[in-house]
C-alpha cells in the first residue's frame, strides 16, 4: 500500500537486459493465453481492436506525404530553430508576477513542417513560429490565455495545455478526437481559456505522435501566493525542457512499431528507442535509428527502406548518421546566487535524470504542487512530469556539466551510437563562454530520487472520503490478426471516425443515459460520473511488465496509493492525511495506482499513459463527468465546425 521502495528503483536501473530476455517466454505465455481466450471467448479484448486506418494519409512513392515532399520543406538553421535562448531566464522576459490585476495573454502561432538540425543530422520537424521548443507561454493565475493556432502542415493538429483544470472549458483541452476535431491543414483554431491553476508545465500537440517531432513548449503559470516561491528566495527562474529525441520522423517509427507480426525490431510491442536527448532543444544525437533493412513485415510486405513502399515514410539511407558539429546547451548564472530551475520532461518514452556536477538540488515544486523541500544529487522525471529545484552556485567559479541522462528501463534495444547522456554547460558569470568542464566523467552524481518518491505537499490538504470506486486494468496483448495493441479492460483506444469527437457524442447521448452508463463511447472505455459532488477513486492495475507514467486531464489528483501487485480491495480506509497531489504518476511494472479526484469538473477527460508510443497503441481511456452539463456546453461554433471540415478533409 505504501509507495514503492528505493530498492525497486535500483532494480529498475539495471533491468533493461533482463526485461528483454523475460519478454521471450512472457510473449509465448501471452500467445497461449490469447489462443485460449479466443477459444473460450473470454472478454480479454481480443479482436475488438480495429486495424488502425493509416491508409487515409497519402504517401508518394518516395515516402513523403502528399502535398509536401521533404525536398520542398524550408530548411531552418539550428540557431533559428532554437531562437532567442535568453528567453529561458524569467528576468529576460519582463514578466511581472502579480495578483493585483489579470490580463489577456495573446499569441499567434503558425505550426509548420521544416527540416532542421538539433543534433548532428538534419531531420523533419514540426515547429511553432519557426522554433522548437516553441514560445514560452506565461501568465498569472486568473489571466486569460488566447492562442490562435494556424495549421500550416499537411496533417491536422490540436494543441493541449498539460495539467490545466479548465473547469467549464473542457473544449479548450486540445485532445484530438476527444475534446475537438482536428484543425485542418490551412485552418485555424483559437484556444481561449482561463488560468485556474499554476506551476511549471508544458503544452504539446495532442494528435498522433506530432509532439515528438517538435511541436511543444513550456507553459509557466505564476501564483503570487505560491508557497514554493514565497518560502524559498531565489534570484532568477530558469526553464529547462528535457526530453529524449528521435532523428527519424515519429510517424515513420510509429508505422514500423505497429507493423503486424514483427513490430519495429522483430518483437511486436517494442517501442522505438531514442537516438539521444535534448536540453532546451539542443542535442548531441548523431544517428537515426532504423531497424534492420532486411526485416520482412508479413502483412505490409515491404521494408521501410524499400522505395516501392507506398504506405510508410522512409528515411534516406545516406543520412543514417550525420556529421554536423553538435553543440552544448549553455547556461551562465551568477556565483553565490540561488536559482529556481523548472525541469520539464517533454519527452516521448524515457525518464530523464537531471543533475549538475558538484551541485545539490532541492526539489520545491512537483507538477504544480509546492512540496516540502527534498535535497538530492539528481532528479528523475518520467515523461510529462515536472519539478522545480533550487540550485546554489556555491562551488569554485568555473564550468560544470548539466546532465540529462535517459533512464534505460524503457529502452529495449540499443540503437547505433546511443549515448544516454546529453550535456549542457553551467558557467559561473565571468567564466569565458568557450571554457568547458575539465573532462567528461562518468555520471557520478547520481544520488537518484526515487521516481515513486512520496513528496509531501507544503500546503496541506487532506483527501475527502470517496463516494465511488472504479477498478480498471491495462495490458499489452496480441489480437486475432497478430497485431499487438494496448488495452484498458477490453478496449484499446483509437481516434473515432473522422468528424467525430467524444465531447460531441456525449451531446448526442444526453437523451440516452443508458448508452453512457454502459461506460463506453463508441466501443471505448469511458467511465461516467453523474454526481456533481462525488469523490472518485480510480484503481488502476498494471498487468504489463513495464513502468507507465499516467496522466489525467483536467485534474491535479490525490495519489492515494501505489505499489507492487494488484489491488482489488476497498479504498475507503486509505490514509487521507495530506497525500501528494500531482497530474502525472508512474505505475510500476505489474503494480497498481489509486488516484482520487472530485467529479465536479464537467467534461470528457482523457486518462492515458504519456509514453507517446503507448497512447498510439491504445493505452487511453476517458472519464466523462456530468454528461448533462457536457451536453449543455456552449462550444463556440468555430470549434464545432472543425468536425464538419474534418469529415470532408481528413489529413
Ligand atoms: C495528392 O493529392 C492530390 C489532390 O488531392 C491528388 O490528386 C493526388 O492524386 C495525390 N497524390 C498522391 C500520390 O496521393
Ligand atoms: C519523389 O518521387 C517523385 C515521383 O516518383 C519524383 O518526381 C520526385 O523527384 C521524388 N522526390 C525525391 C526527393 O526523391
Ligand atoms: C495576431 O494576429 C492578428 C491578425 O494578424 C493581429 O491583429 C494581432 O495583433 C496579433 N496578435 C499578436 C499578439 O501578435
Ligand atoms: C501526416 O500523417 C501521416 C499519417 O499519420 C504520416 O504518415 C505523415 O508522416 C504525417 N506527416 C507529417 C509531416 O507529419
Ligand atoms: C503554408 O504557408 C505557405 C506560405 O505562406 C502557403 O503557401 C501554404 O499554402 C501553407 N500551407 C498550409 C497547409 O497552410
Ligand atoms: C475569450 O473568452 C472570453 C471569455 O469568454 C471572451 O470575453 C473573449 O472575447 C474571448 N476572446 C477571443 C479572442 O475569443
Ligand atoms: C497577493 O500576493 C501576496 C504575496 O505575494 C499576498 O501577500 C497578498 O495577500 C496577495 N493578495 C491577494 C488579494 O491575494
Ligand atoms: C494569498 O495569501 C493571502 C495571505 O495568506 C491570503 O489572504 C489570500 O487570500 C491569498 N490569495 C489567494 C488567491 O489565495
Ligand atoms: C558526412 O561525411 C561523409 C563522409 O565524410 C560524407 O560522405 C557526407 O557527404 C557527409 N554528409 C554531410 C551531410 O555532410
Ligand atoms: C562567494 O562568496 C565568497 C565569500 O564572499 C567568496 O569568497 C567567493 O569568491 C564567492 N564565489 C563566487 C563564485 O562569487
Ligand atoms: C550534497 O548534499 C550531501 C548531503 O547533504 C552532502 O553530503 C554533500 O556535501 C552535498 N554536496 C555539495 C556539492 O554540496
Ligand atoms: C554554446 O557556447 C559555445 C561557445 O560559445 C557555442 O559555440 C555554442 O554554439 C553554444 N551552444 C548553443 C546551443 O548555442
Ligand atoms: Cu506506457
Amino acid at each position: 500500500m505504501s509507495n514503492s521502495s528505493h530498492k525497486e528503483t535500483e532494480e529498475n536501473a539495471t533491468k533493461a537486459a533482463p526485461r528483454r530476455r523475460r519478454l521471450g517466454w512472457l510473449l509465448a505465455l501471452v500467445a497461449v493465453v490469447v489462443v485460449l481466450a479466443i477459444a473460450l471467448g473470454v472478454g480479454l479484448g481480443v479482436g475488438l481492436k480495429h486495424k488502425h486506418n493509416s491508409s487515409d494519409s497519402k504517401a508518394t512513392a518516395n515516402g513523403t506525404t502528399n502535398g509536401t515532399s521533404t525536398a520542398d520543406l524550408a530548411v531552418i538553421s539550428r540557431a533559428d530553430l532554437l531562437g532567442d535562448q535568453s528567453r529561458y531566464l524569467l528576468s529576460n522576459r519582463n514578466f511581472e508576477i502579480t495578483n493585483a490585476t489579470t490580463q489577456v495573454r495573446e499569441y499567434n502561432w503558425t505550426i509548420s513542417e521544416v527540416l532542421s538540425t538539433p543534433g548532428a543530422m538534419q531531420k523533419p520537424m514540426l515547429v511553432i513560429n519557426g522554433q522548437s521548443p516553441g514560445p514560452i507561454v506565461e501568465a498569472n493565475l486568473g489571466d486569460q490565455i488566447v492562442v490562435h493556432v494556424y495549421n500550416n502542415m499537411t496533417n491536422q493538429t490540436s494543441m493541449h495545455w498539460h495539467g490545466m483544470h479548465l473547469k467549464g472549458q473542457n473544449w479548450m483541452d486540445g485532445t484530438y478526437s476527444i475534446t475537438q476535431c482536428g484543425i485542418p491543414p490551412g485552418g485555424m483554431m483559437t484556444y481561449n481559456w482561463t488560468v485556474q491553476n499554476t506551476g511549471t508545465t508544458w503544452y504539446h500537440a495532442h494528435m498522433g505522435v506530432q509532439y515528438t517531432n517538435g511541436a511543444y513548449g513550456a507553459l509557466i503559470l505564476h501564483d503570487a501566493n505560491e508557497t514554493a516561491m514565497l518560502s524559498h528566495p531565489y534570484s532568477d527562474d530558469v526553464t529547462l525542457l528535457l526530453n529524449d529525441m528521435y532523428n527519424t520522423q515519429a510517424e515513420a517509427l510509429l508505422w514500423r512499431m505497429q507493423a503486424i507480426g514483427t513490430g519495429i525490431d522483430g518483437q511486436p510491442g517494442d517501442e522505438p528507442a531514442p537516438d539521444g536527448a535534448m536540453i532546451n532543444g539542443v542535442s548531441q544525437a548523431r544517428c537515426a535509428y532504423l531497424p534492420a533493412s532486411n526485416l520482412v513485415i508479413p502483412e505490409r510486405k515491404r521494408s521501410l527502406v524499400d522505395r516501392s513502399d507506398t504506405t510508410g515514410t522512409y528515411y534516406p539511407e545516406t543520412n543514417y548518421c550525420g556529421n554536423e558539429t553538435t553543440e552544448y546547451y549553455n547556461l551562465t548564472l551568477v556565483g553565490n546566487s540561488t536559482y529556481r530551475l523548472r525541469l520539464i520532461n517533454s519527452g516521448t518514452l524515457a525518464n530523464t535524470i537531471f543533475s549538475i556536477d558538484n551541485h545539490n538540488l532541492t526539489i520545491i515544486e512537483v507538477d504544480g504542487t509546492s512540496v516540502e523541500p527534498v535535497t538530492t544529487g539528481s532528479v528523475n522525471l518520467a515523461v510529462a512530469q515536472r519539478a522545480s529545484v533550487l540550485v546554489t552556485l556555491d562551488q569554485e567559479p568555473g564550468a560544470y556539466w548539466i546532465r540529462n541522462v535517459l533512464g534505460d528501463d524503457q529502452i529495449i534495444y540499443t540503437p547505433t551510437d546511443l549515448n544516454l547522456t546529453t550535456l549542457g554547460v553551467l558557467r559561473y558569470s565571468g567564466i569565458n563562454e568557450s571554457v568547458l568542464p575539465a573532462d567528461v566523467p562518468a555520471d557520478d552524481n547520481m544520488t537518484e530520487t526515487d521516481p515513486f518518491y512520496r513528496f509531501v505537499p507544503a500546503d496541506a490538504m487532506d483527501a475527502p472520503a470517496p463516494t465511488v470506486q472504479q477498478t480498471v486494468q491495462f495490458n499489452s496483448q496480441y489480437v486475432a490478426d497478430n497485431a499487438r495493441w494496448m488495452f484498458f479492460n477490453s478496449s484499446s483506444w483509437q481516434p473515432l471516425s473522422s468528424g467525430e469527437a467524444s465531447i460531441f457524442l456525449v451531446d448526442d447521448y444526453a437523451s440516452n443515459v443508458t448508452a453512457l452508463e454502459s461506460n463506453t463511447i463508441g466501443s471505448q472505455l469511458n467511465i461516467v460520473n453523474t454526481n456533481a459532488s462525488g469523490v472518485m477513486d480510480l484503481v488502476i492495475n498494471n498487468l504489463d511488465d513495464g513502468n507507465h507514467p499516467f496522466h489525467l486531464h483536467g485534474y491535479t489528483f490525490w495519489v492515494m496509493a501505489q505499489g507492487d501487485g494488484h489491488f482489488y480491495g476497498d479504498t475507503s480506509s486509505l490514509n487521507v492525511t495530506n497525500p501528494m497531489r500531482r497530474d502525472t504518476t508512474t505505475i510500476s511494472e505489474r503494480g497498481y495506482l489509486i488516484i482520487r479526484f472530485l467529479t465536479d469538473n464537467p467534461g470528457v477527460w482523457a486518462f492515458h499513459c504519456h509514453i507517446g508510443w503507448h497512447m498510439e497503441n491504445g493505452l487511453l481511456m476517458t472519464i466523462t463527468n456530468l454528461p448533462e452539463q457536457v451536453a449543455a456546453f456552449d462550444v463556440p461554433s468555430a470549434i464545432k465546425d472543425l468536425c464538419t471540415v474534418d469529415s470532408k478533409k481528413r489529413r
Side-chain angles (χ1 to χ4, degrees):
M1 198 136 319
S2 68
N3 299 285
S4 305
S5 67
H6 205 95
K7 227 187 296 166
E8 261 187 277
T9 313
E10 283 155 13
E11 271 167 30
N12 288 346
T14 54
K15 84 178 178 55
R19 180 182 167 192
R20 173 103 215 209
R21 280 196 297 277
R22 273 206 312 274
L23 263 173
W25 67 260
L26 268 174
L27 289 177
L29 187 67
V30 168
V32 168
V33 169
V34 167
V35 166
L36 274 176
I38 294 168
L40 299 171
V42 175
L44 273 178
V46 176
L48 283 186
K49 182 75 177 184
H50 311 296
K51 214 184 281 180
H52 278 232
N53 183 6
S54 54
S55 60
D56 56 354
S57 71
K58 298 279 189 297
T60 59
N62 44 24
T64 55
T65 51
N66 195 1
T68 318
S69 96
T70 51
D72 297 337
L73 295 179
V75 177
I76 293 190
S77 71
R78 182 183 295 145
D80 287 347
L81 178 74
L82 297 174
D84 177 7
Q85 297 185 62
S86 74
R87 72 183 186 276
Y88 293 109
L89 268 69
L90 175 63
S91 60
N92 292 329
R93 300 197 296 264
N94 292 317
F95 186 91
E96 189 197 353
I97 299 173
T98 179
N99 54 8
T101 55
T102 60
Q103 65 185 76
V104 177
R105 312 270 176 185
E106 190 174 359
Y107 305 80
N108 284 328
W109 286 358
T110 301
I111 310 186
S112 48
E113 298 160 25
V114 301
L115 295 174
S116 194
T117 315
M121 63 188 291
Q122 198 179 72
K123 60 174 236 166
M125 297 189 73
L126 300 180
V127 295
I128 300 173
N129 294 349
Q131 296 180 0
S132 179
I136 295 177
V137 173
E138 183 164 41
N140 286 309
L141 184 62
D143 284 353
Q144 195 74 10
I145 303 273
V146 176
V147 187
H148 308 284
V149 177
Y150 294 85
N151 181 0
N152 200 338
M153 308 189 290
T154 50
N155 284 335
Q156 296 179 31
T157 193
S158 72
M159 195 57 70
H160 169 62
W161 321 96
H162 186 104
M164 294 298 95
H165 293 173
L166 301 176
K167 197 166 181 185
Q169 307 179 339
N170 177 233
W171 58 91
M172 291 298 175
D173 193 43
T175 39
Y176 174 72
S177 187
I178 296 174
T179 62
Q180 67 168 93
C181 293
I183 308 170
M188 189 273 262
M189 173 171 163
T190 296
Y191 289 91
N192 179 1
W193 48 274
T194 314
V195 179
Q196 299 170 343
N197 59 304
T198 60
T200 304
T201 184
W202 62 309
Y203 61 82
H204 59 83
H206 209 299
M207 176 169 181
V209 285
Q210 289 177 346
Y211 86 72
T212 307
N213 294 325
Y216 68 93
L219 177 55
I220 308 296
L221 301 168
H222 301 277
D223 174 359
N225 262 4
E226 188 201 27
T227 300
M229 177 177 69
L230 296 180
S231 55
H232 304 285
Y234 46 85
S235 37
D236 208 344
D237 170 319
V238 184
T239 297
L240 294 170
L241 290 147
L242 310 167
N243 50 260
D244 48 20
M245 80 89 93
Y246 294 82
N247 272 322
T248 309
Q249 192 189 26
E251 288 78 7
L253 294 170
L254 179 67
W255 178 82
R256 276 311 287 247
M257 180 186 80
Q258 294 180 338
I260 291 161
T262 67
I264 193 164
D265 62 346
Q267 185 69 80
D270 283 3
E271 304 81 4
D275 301 304
M278 286 177 164
I279 300 175
N280 281 348
V282 184
S283 180
Q284 290 105 44
R286 307 207 67 88
C287 297
Y289 170 74
L290 279 180
S293 60
N294 60 358
L295 186 64
V296 176
I297 301 177
E299 296 214 358
R300 292 185 175 164
K301 300 287 189 269
R302 302 180 197 94
S303 77
L304 194 60
V305 292
D306 179 346
R307 286 181 181 242
S308 62
D309 177 3
T310 56
T311 50
T313 307
Y314 79 97
Y315 208 80
E317 307 80 323
T318 49
N319 203 16
Y320 284 1
C321 287
N323 31 22
E324 298 282 343
T325 310
T326 58
E327 295 178 358
Y328 299 122
Y329 175 72
N330 302 305
L331 181 64
T332 298
L333 300 175
V334 178
N336 278 339
S337 301
T338 295
Y339 291 84
R340 175 182 190 164
L341 308 181
R342 296 178 181 266
L343 313 177
I344 302 165
N345 184 337
S346 45
T348 298
L349 176 68
N351 283 34
T352 76
I353 303 159
F354 176 87
S355 65
I356 301 177
D357 287 3
N358 296 75
H359 292 75
N360 280 337
L361 306 170
T362 300
I363 302 171
I364 57 169
E365 179 227 332
V366 173
D367 289 6
T369 300
S370 297
V371 296
E372 295 297 343
V374 174
T375 296
T376 174
S378 69
V379 179
N380 189 332
L381 298 174
V383 167
Q385 294 184 327
R386 292 91 58 211
S388 282
V389 300
L390 298 175
V391 62
T392 300
L393 272 70
D394 55 5
Q395 299 295 301
E396 192 75 13
Y400 297 87
W401 292 119
I402 299 172
R403 292 168 194 266
N404 171 8
V405 180
L406 296 181
D408 64 3
D409 60 322
Q410 308 279 10
I411 300 176
I412 296 180
Y413 54 82
T414 309
T416 313
D417 202 36
L418 171 64
N419 188 341
L420 292 172
T421 302
T422 294
L423 298 170
V425 185
L426 169 65
R427 294 188 186 84
Y428 282 51
S429 59
I431 300 299
N432 190 292
E433 65 172 22
S434 62
V435 173
L436 291 178
D439 56 355
V440 188
D443 298 316
D444 56 359
N445 199 27
M446 296 290 142
T447 52
E448 185 174 322
T449 312
D450 187 334
F452 309 116
Y453 182 87
R454 190 181 184 285
F455 294 98
V456 177
D459 305 308
M461 191 193 297
D462 290 350
T467 60
V468 56
Q469 177 184 341
Q470 287 271 5
T471 302
V472 296
Q473 61 184 40
F474 70 87
N475 68 356
S476 169
Q477 66 185 46
Y478 285 100
V479 295
D481 63 0
N482 206 27
R484 190 172 166 89
W485 304 110
M486 301 192 81
F487 287 82
F488 254 125
N489 291 355
S490 61
S491 81
S492 178
W493 189 84
Q494 63 182 330
L496 299 168
S497 300
S498 174
E500 288 183 347
S502 310
I503 189 174
F504 303 122
L505 287 187
V506 170
D507 214 353
D508 296 344
Y509 285 177
S511 54
N512 187 353
V513 174
T514 323
L516 272 179
E517 287 181 347
S518 68
N519 282 343
T520 58
I521 283 187
S523 61
Q524 303 179 352
L525 181 59
N526 173 58
I527 290 177
V528 177
N529 290 303
T530 52
N531 177 1
S533 48
V535 178
M536 178 163 174
D537 272 350
L538 182 62
V539 180
I540 309 103
N541 287 319
N542 176 3
L543 310 188
D544 182 64
D545 68 345
N547 302 325
H548 301 266
F550 271 86
H551 171 48
L552 175 59
H553 288 220
Y555 282 95
T556 308
F557 49 75
W558 284 280
V559 181
M560 299 306 295
Q562 57 193 141
D564 288 337
H566 301 142
F567 185 98
Y568 293 107
D570 173 25
T571 59
S572 58
S573 59
L574 295 174
N575 180 12
V576 297
T577 308
N578 194 24
M580 181 55 190
R581 307 187 295 273
R582 61 186 312 173
D583 60 42
T584 308
T585 200
T586 298
I587 309 183
S588 56
E589 54 171 318
R590 302 190 183 284
Y592 70 94
L593 169 71
I594 304 173
I595 63 173
R596 184 171 295 179
F597 54 91
L598 308 179
T599 60
D600 64 348
N601 191 355
V604 186
W605 302 106
F607 178 65
H608 63 91
C609 174
H610 217 294
I611 290 178
W613 312 118
H614 293 174
M615 186 162 51
E616 286 307 296
N617 269 353
L619 196 44
L620 182 151
M621 56 174 267
T622 50
I623 291 170
T624 296
N625 293 326
L626 314 177
E628 277 89 3
Q629 288 191 39
V630 175
F633 278 158
D634 188 14
V635 180
S637 58
I639 297 178
K640 281 187 167 166
D641 287 350
L642 295 176
C643 295
T644 333
V645 182
D646 189 334
S647 56
K648 293 195 189 111
K649 187 180 176 187
R650 188 173 188 218
R651 283 178 192 156

